[in-house]
Amino acid sequence: MATLGNPKNTIEVLQKYNFNFQKKFGQNFLIDTHVLDKIMKESGITKEDMVLEIGPGIGTMTQYLAEAAREVVAIEIDKNLIPILEDTLSEYDNVTVINEDVLKVDIRKLSEERNQGKPIKVVANLPYYITTPIVMSLLESRIPIDSITIMVQKEVAERMQEEPGSKEYGALSLAVQYYAKPEIVANVPPNCFMPRPKVGSSVIRLTLYEKPQVEVSDEKLMFSLIRASFNQRRKTLVNGIGNASNLNISKEQVMKALERMGLPPTIRGEMLSLEQFAELSNLL
Ligand code: SAM
């Protein structure tokens, strides 16, 4: 089987199987070998690694992963792609394809069974409609993971990497940065995919910390505070948290905590760093 990462070979496979793209599954297949080489280089995969690929499509990147890694587990939701993957990956005996929704798979169990619970690497050209749930479930699960190297919508990559004070900084930036160091490693234009997405894309690598970046006594409370602070962007932090019905924290309590932190009562959530949200949460 020829490598798939170019338009000609991809079209050939699609025609052979009479495959129809399903919009609801966010199917945009990579057709650019330079982008594939770049993702492979940045993911730092070695022959020791077990790699989890989310959404292999017709197996374009899976072929590269199978060459570089010890073992690949690829989870694909679309059953119409399974016979295609059997064909395009037939040369590899180190790839397992699972026909399932990635959000329903027990990835911890997979890593325990196939990698003795040692850290795995995740690589994917993600379906954009569920980027955040996939990334957050991987991070929050505390499954041993070294790094997550993923293609996502450009704006989402930027949001993950943003610092306090910028327009795109928000709950996703804080959640990602609590668990991992984000680095955008490539920008990828729509013409590198088939069909072309309407938005620009970026490859971002999240290198997971062994321990979260800040010490916080109640993680759940901190993330509830973060969500409340960014729910109403134009509101001050005091109003955002004070008005959140799920929190039961008064505006006076928030003001007192801010005062102890040396911050003005009019400050907005987007000005606070992760360390400051942790401190606020610990005070409250
Ligand atoms: N990796 C391929 C490539 O780069 O050419 C395909 C990437 S495409 C952007 C996303 C893939 O994820 C599609 O194959 C789609 O069917 C699959 N997918 C969508 N939702 C999924 C889910 N919930 N679980 C697993 N796979 C999913």
Side-chain angles (χ1 to χ4, degrees):
M1 170 62 63
T3 52
L4 299 165
N6 65 55
K8 184 175 158 281
N9 293 353
T10 295
I11 289 169
E12 223 171 85
V13 170
L14 297 176
Q15 283 177 345
K16 177 173 169 194
Y17 287 91
N18 208 3
F19 179 77
N20 290 314
F21 287 100
Q22 296 225 50
K23 226 176 163 188
K24 66 169 179 188
F25 289 144
Q27 292 174 339
N28 302 94
F29 298 165
L30 267 169
I31 48 164
D32 186 303
T33 53
H34 299 293
V35 175
L36 286 153
D37 287 336
K38 179 75 177 161
I39 295 174
M40 292 309 297
K41 180 169 164 262
E42 295 295 344
S43 63
I45 291 168
T46 71
K47 272 286 165 200
E48 311 274 293
D49 285 317
M50 172 185 153
V51 175
L52 170 70
E53 187 189 10
I54 299 159
I58 59 170
T60 309
M61 193 154 68
T62 326
Q63 292 182 336
Y64 284 72
L65 294 169
E67 297 279 347
R70 189 192 82 238
E71 178 170 356
V72 182
V73 176
I75 303 173
E76 173 57 59
I77 197 169
D78 186 354
K79 68 174 185 339
N80 293 331
L81 287 166
I82 304 305
I84 304 183
L85 287 164
E86 269 165 26
D87 183 0
T88 59
L89 301 173
S90 61
E91 275 171 35
Y92 301 100
D93 59 6
N94 60 343
V95 181
T96 310
V97 175
I98 300 174
N99 182 202
E100 185 54 279
D101 175 348
V102 67
L103 294 175
K104 293 190 185 145
V105 175
D106 187 343
I107 294 165
R108 179 181 300 280
K109 196 163 149 232
L110 270 180
S111 92
E112 274 162 13
E113 283 171 1
R114 291 163 182 265
N115 209 39
Q116 292 81 48
K118 285 187 291 177
I120 61 169
K121 291 197 169 100
V122 179
V123 183
N125 169 16
L126 283 182
Y128 293 174
Y129 74 105
I130 44 165
T131 299
T132 305
I134 292 176
V135 172
M136 288 320 299
S137 80
L138 288 172
L139 293 174
E140 284 170 357
S141 67
R142 300 280 170 85
I143 297 163
I145 297 176
D146 263 334
S147 62
I148 303 176
T149 308
I150 42 176
M151 178 89 70
V152 298
Q153 190 177 330
K154 187 162 181 276
E155 273 95 64
V156 176
E158 285 167 358
R159 240 183 282 153
M160 289 180 184
Q161 204 186 241
E162 273 318 344
E163 304 278 338
S166 78
K167 215 175 101 223
E168 295 297 329
Y169 180 69
L172 182 64
S173 332
L174 284 154
V176 166
Q177 290 167 29
Y178 180 65
Y179 297 103
K181 177 173 176 231
E183 289 163 284
I184 294 177
V185 294
N187 289 320
V188 182
N191 63 3
C192 296
F193 302 88
M194 182 184 294
R196 293 182 184 192
K198 288 202 180 74
V199 292
S201 304
S202 297
V203 179
I204 188 165
R205 182 181 54 226
L206 311 177
T207 309
L208 276 79
Y209 300 123
E210 268 179 37
K211 267 195 347 217
Q213 265 312 71
V214 295
E215 272 188 40
V216 55
S217 51
D218 185 345
E219 221 173 68
K220 252 178 98 181
L221 173 65
M222 180 178 78
F223 284 112
S224 302
L225 293 173
I226 289 173
R227 270 193 296 274
S229 312
F230 288 98
N231 249 348
Q232 302 159 299
R233 272 229 161 230
R234 314 236 138 256
K235 291 247 161 76
T236 62
L237 184 94
V238 169
N239 281 334
I241 296 175
N243 291 338
S245 53
N246 61 326
L247 278 173
N248 211 6
I249 297 173
S250 72
K251 293 182 187 174
E252 289 68 35
Q253 284 173 292
V254 187
M255 277 200 264
K256 259 200 194 136
L258 286 177
E259 198 181 332
R260 283 189 61 182
M261 293 168 67
L263 296 172
T266 51
I267 199 161
R268 292 183 187 187
E270 66 236 42
M271 299 311 294
L272 264 67
S273 65
L274 180 59
E275 289 73 15
Q276 287 171 318
F277 270 111
E279 193 183 348
L280 179 68
S281 163
N282 291 341
L283 282 170
L284 287 172

